[in-house]
């Protein structure tokens, strides 16, 4: 039996249809899932009703976050995603900000997941990612038979229980 550490996958089921179909907007979609999780299951974020009701869809949230993170629709790096999330939160009078690790981040991801906090992780093609460069939300991890870490992620290309090896990760975005 495989032992997963972190957040149960059932909490991400409701976001399974939050799929990026408009190009390079994975940073904005990953940010929307992270923020929605905090709105739905934690107390740190309360969004205005016009953006999203708790446990509702995220279409408005994604569109609004895109203005802060990817206004031109280009691909992003960790500091752009974290800065965009922080500006979004500040604009909506939230007392929380995002942090980023531009290189690596496996330790940060494990630490946040152990605190039952999801974390956005960047997958990098030069590190072997079959996705290419892509942002996903990690919420659980396991250690395989060889001692390697595997993360369970919400992928905004349509899979909410995708497993990715930790050695694909280059950068994280998370809340403290």
């Amino acid at each position: 039996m495989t032992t997963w550490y972190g957040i149960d996958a059932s909490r991400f089921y409701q976001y399974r249809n939050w799929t990026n179909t408009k190009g390079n907007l994975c940073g904005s979609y990953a940010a929307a899932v992270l923020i929605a999780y905090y709105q739905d299951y934690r107390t740190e974020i309360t969004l205005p009703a016009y953006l999203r009701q708790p446990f509702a869809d995220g279409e408005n949230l994604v569109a609004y976050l895109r203005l802060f993170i990817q206004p031109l629709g280009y691909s992003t790096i960790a500091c752009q995603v974290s800065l965009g999330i922080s500006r979004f939160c500040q604009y909506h009078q939230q007392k929380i900000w995002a942090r980023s690790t531009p290189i690596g981040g496996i330790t940060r991801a494990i630490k946040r997941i152990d605190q039952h906090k999801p974390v956005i992780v960047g997958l990098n093609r030069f590190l072997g990612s079959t996705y290419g460069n892509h942002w996903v939300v990690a919420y659980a991890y396991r250690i395989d038979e060889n001692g390697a870490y595997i993360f369970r992620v919400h992928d905004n290309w349509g899979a909410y229980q995708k497993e990715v090896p930790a050695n694909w990760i280059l950068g994280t975005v998370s809340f403290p």
Side-chain angles (χ1 to χ4, degrees):
M1 173 143 184
T2 302
T3 302
W4 286 96
Y5 304 96
I7 304 165
D8 191 84
S10 64
R11 288 197 167 183
F12 287 83
Y13 178 79
Q14 67 191 16
Y15 314 123
R16 73 194 178 284
N17 294 323
W18 295 24
T19 55
N20 174 11
T21 59
K22 298 177 177 119
N24 297 324
L25 300 178
C26 58
S28 295
Y29 274 85
V33 169
L34 180 72
I35 289 170
Y37 182 88
Y38 269 71
Q39 180 190 27
D40 294 342
Y41 294 105
R42 301 187 58 88
T43 60
E44 292 96 329
I45 293 180
T46 305
L47 296 176
Y50 69 88
L51 282 178
R52 181 176 180 268
Q53 295 285 334
F55 298 99
D57 74 52
E59 189 173 325
N60 289 343
L61 180 58
V62 170
Y64 210 85
L65 276 165
R66 182 178 173 208
L67 298 173
F68 288 87
I69 298 171
Q70 298 178 270
L72 301 176
Y74 298 134
S75 299
T76 56
I77 58 175
C79 63
Q80 288 172 291
V81 177
S82 66
L83 180 61
I85 291 171
S86 294
R87 289 185 322 184
F88 169 87
C89 289
Q90 182 182 19
Y91 183 83
H92 292 289
Q93 291 82 43
Q94 303 301 301
K95 295 181 187 215
I96 193 167
W97 66 94
R99 299 178 60 181
S100 65
T101 53
I103 297 174
I106 296 169
T107 303
R108 161 95 37 98
I110 290 168
K111 180 179 177 182
R112 292 294 177 264
I113 291 169
D114 283 344
Q115 296 169 340
H116 292 277
K117 296 177 178 180
V119 58
I120 298 172
V121 296
L123 307 179
N124 187 276
R125 67 185 173 107
F126 292 117
L127 298 176
S129 170
T130 57
Y131 281 98
N133 298 333
H134 186 46
W135 291 109
V136 296
V137 179
Y139 58 88
Y141 68 90
R142 68 179 173 87
I143 304 167
D144 73 10
E145 60 279 352
N146 299 316
Y149 285 87
I150 307 295
F151 285 95
R152 183 174 277 166
V153 302
H154 173 279
D155 169 26
N156 53 67
W157 287 344
Y160 77 98
Q161 293 188 76
K162 187 72 178 170
E163 294 181 23
V164 299
N167 62 359
W168 289 1
I169 293 175
L170 183 66
T172 66
V173 177
S174 63
F175 289 122

PDB file of all heavy atoms in Angstrom, residues 94-106:
ATOM      1  N   GLN A  94      -6.367  41.346   1.481  1.00  0.00           N
ATOM      2  CA  GLN A  94      -6.057  40.091   2.157  1.00  0.00           C
ATOM      3  C   GLN A  94      -4.728  40.269   2.876  1.00  0.00           C
ATOM      4  O   GLN A  94      -3.812  40.892   2.345  1.00  0.00           O
ATOM      5  CB  GLN A  94      -5.975  38.942   1.144  1.00  0.00           C
ATOM      6  CG  GLN A  94      -7.236  38.755   0.327  1.00  0.00           C
ATOM      7  CD  GLN A  94      -8.454  38.468   1.171  1.00  0.00           C
ATOM      8  OE1 GLN A  94      -8.489  37.491   1.914  1.00  0.00           O
ATOM      9  NE2 GLN A  94      -9.445  39.323   1.076  1.00  0.00           N
ATOM     10  N   LYS A  95      -4.616  39.729   4.063  1.00  0.00           N
ATOM     11  CA  LYS A  95      -3.390  39.886   4.852  1.00  0.00           C
ATOM     12  C   LYS A  95      -2.485  38.675   4.671  1.00  0.00           C
ATOM     13  O   LYS A  95      -2.019  38.072   5.640  1.00  0.00           O
ATOM     14  CB  LYS A  95      -3.747  40.092   6.311  1.00  0.00           C
ATOM     15  CG  LYS A  95      -4.493  41.385   6.500  1.00  0.00           C
ATOM     16  CD  LYS A  95      -4.839  41.640   7.936  1.00  0.00           C
ATOM     17  CE  LYS A  95      -5.727  42.847   7.930  1.00  0.00           C
ATOM     18  NZ  LYS A  95      -5.718  43.758   8.859  1.00  0.00           N
ATOM     19  N   ILE A  96      -2.242  38.350   3.423  1.00  0.00           N
ATOM     20  CA  ILE A  96      -1.390  37.216   3.085  1.00  0.00           C
ATOM     21  C   ILE A  96      -0.654  37.571   1.794  1.00  0.00           C
ATOM     22  O   ILE A  96      -1.141  38.374   1.010  1.00  0.00           O
ATOM     23  CB  ILE A  96      -2.225  35.919   2.942  1.00  0.00           C
ATOM     24  CG1 ILE A  96      -1.330  34.694   2.897  1.00  0.00           C
ATOM     25  CG2 ILE A  96      -3.187  36.003   1.762  1.00  0.00           C
ATOM     26  CD1 ILE A  96      -2.082  33.377   3.069  1.00  0.00           C
ATOM     27  N   TRP A  97       0.516  37.020   1.608  1.00  0.00           N
ATOM     28  CA  TRP A  97       1.285  37.267   0.398  1.00  0.00           C
ATOM     29  C   TRP A  97       1.921  35.941  -0.023  1.00  0.00           C
ATOM     30  O   TRP A  97       2.004  35.001   0.754  1.00  0.00           O
ATOM     31  CB  TRP A  97       2.362  38.318   0.657  1.00  0.00           C
ATOM     32  CG  TRP A  97       3.399  37.849   1.625  1.00  0.00           C
ATOM     33  CD1 TRP A  97       4.584  37.257   1.312  1.00  0.00           C
ATOM     34  CD2 TRP A  97       3.321  37.863   3.062  1.00  0.00           C
ATOM     35  NE1 TRP A  97       5.259  36.915   2.463  1.00  0.00           N
ATOM     36  CE2 TRP A  97       4.497  37.280   3.562  1.00  0.00           C
ATOM     37  CE3 TRP A  97       2.368  38.320   3.978  1.00  0.00           C
ATOM     38  CZ2 TRP A  97       4.751  37.135   4.907  1.00  0.00           C
ATOM     39  CZ3 TRP A  97       2.629  38.171   5.324  1.00  0.00           C
ATOM     40  CH2 TRP A  97       3.800  37.589   5.781  1.00  0.00           C
ATOM     41  N   ALA A  98       2.351  35.893  -1.254  1.00  0.00           N
ATOM     42  CA  ALA A  98       2.980  34.684  -1.780  1.00  0.00           C
ATOM     43  C   ALA A  98       4.496  34.810  -1.733  1.00  0.00           C
ATOM     44  O   ALA A  98       5.040  35.901  -1.814  1.00  0.00           O
ATOM     45  CB  ALA A  98       2.511  34.442  -3.205  1.00  0.00           C
ATOM     46  N   ARG A  99       5.144  33.671  -1.600  1.00  0.00           N
ATOM     47  CA  ARG A  99       6.605  33.594  -1.615  1.00  0.00           C
ATOM     48  C   ARG A  99       7.015  32.696  -2.768  1.00  0.00           C
ATOM     49  O   ARG A  99       6.271  31.805  -3.161  1.00  0.00           O
ATOM     50  CB  ARG A  99       7.111  32.965  -0.317  1.00  0.00           C
ATOM     51  CG  ARG A  99       6.743  33.727   0.919  1.00  0.00           C
ATOM     52  CD  ARG A  99       7.225  33.016   2.150  1.00  0.00           C
ATOM     53  NE  ARG A  99       8.684  32.877   2.111  1.00  0.00           N
ATOM     54  CZ  ARG A  99       9.389  32.286   3.049  1.00  0.00           C
ATOM     55  NH1 ARG A  99       8.794  31.762   4.085  1.00  0.00           N
ATOM     56  NH2 ARG A  99      10.693  32.197   2.955  1.00  0.00           N
ATOM     57  N   SER A 100       8.212  32.911  -3.265  1.00  0.00           N
ATOM     58  CA  SER A 100       8.680  32.039  -4.334  1.00  0.00           C
ATOM     59  C   SER A 100      10.096  31.543  -4.058  1.00  0.00           C
ATOM     60  O   SER A 100      10.860  32.184  -3.340  1.00  0.00           O
ATOM     61  CB  SER A 100       8.648  32.761  -5.682  1.00  0.00           C
ATOM     62  OG  SER A 100       9.564  33.830  -5.705  1.00  0.00           O
ATOM     63  N   THR A 101      10.388  30.392  -4.614  1.00  0.00           N
ATOM     64  CA  THR A 101      11.753  29.897  -4.688  1.00  0.00           C
ATOM     65  C   THR A 101      12.024  29.722  -6.178  1.00  0.00           C
ATOM     66  O   THR A 101      11.372  28.916  -6.840  1.00  0.00           O
ATOM     67  CB  THR A 101      11.938  28.552  -3.962  1.00  0.00           C
ATOM     68  OG1 THR A 101      10.966  27.627  -4.437  1.00  0.00           O
ATOM     69  CG2 THR A 101      11.793  28.699  -2.480  1.00  0.00           C
ATOM     70  N   PRO A 102      12.932  30.509  -6.728  1.00  0.00           N
ATOM     71  CA  PRO A 102      13.143  30.466  -8.170  1.00  0.00           C
ATOM     72  C   PRO A 102      13.877  29.219  -8.658  1.00  0.00           C
ATOM     73  O   PRO A 102      13.728  28.820  -9.801  1.00  0.00           O
ATOM     74  CB  PRO A 102      13.957  31.723  -8.458  1.00  0.00           C
ATOM     75  CG  PRO A 102      14.618  32.061  -7.172  1.00  0.00           C
ATOM     76  CD  PRO A 102      13.718  31.557  -6.087  1.00  0.00           C
ATOM     77  N   ILE A 103      14.655  28.596  -7.803  1.00  0.00           N
ATOM     78  CA  ILE A 103      15.408  27.407  -8.179  1.00  0.00           C
ATOM     79  C   ILE A 103      15.177  26.348  -7.114  1.00  0.00           C
ATOM     80  O   ILE A 103      15.183  26.633  -5.921  1.00  0.00           O
ATOM     81  CB  ILE A 103      16.910  27.720  -8.302  1.00  0.00           C
ATOM     82  CG1 ILE A 103      17.119  28.742  -9.412  1.00  0.00           C
ATOM     83  CG2 ILE A 103      17.713  26.457  -8.559  1.00  0.00           C
ATOM     84  CD1 ILE A 103      18.540  29.231  -9.540  1.00  0.00           C
ATOM     85  N   GLY A 104      14.991  25.130  -7.551  1.00  0.00           N
ATOM     86  CA  GLY A 104      14.750  24.045  -6.602  1.00  0.00           C
ATOM     87  C   GLY A 104      13.362  24.167  -6.010  1.00  0.00           C
ATOM     88  O   GLY A 104      12.416  24.499  -6.691  1.00  0.00           O
ATOM     89  N   GLY A 105      13.259  23.901  -4.733  1.00  0.00           N
ATOM     90  CA  GLY A 105      11.986  24.074  -4.051  1.00  0.00           C
ATOM     91  C   GLY A 105      11.377  22.810  -3.498  1.00  0.00           C
ATOM     92  O   GLY A 105      10.311  22.852  -2.903  1.00  0.00           O
ATOM     93  N   ILE A 106      12.042  21.680  -3.669  1.00  0.00           N
ATOM     94  CA  ILE A 106      11.471  20.429  -3.173  1.00  0.00           C
ATOM     95  C   ILE A 106      11.298  20.481  -1.664  1.00  0.00           C
ATOM     96  O   ILE A 106      10.263  20.094  -1.129  1.00  0.00           O
ATOM     97  CB  ILE A 106      12.337  19.227  -3.604  1.00  0.00           C
ATOM     98  CG1 ILE A 106      12.312  19.107  -5.123  1.00  0.00           C
ATOM     99  CG2 ILE A 106      11.864  17.948  -2.945  1.00  0.00           C
ATOM    100  CD1 ILE A 106      13.335  18.139  -5.691  1.00  0.00           C
TER     101      ILE A 106
END
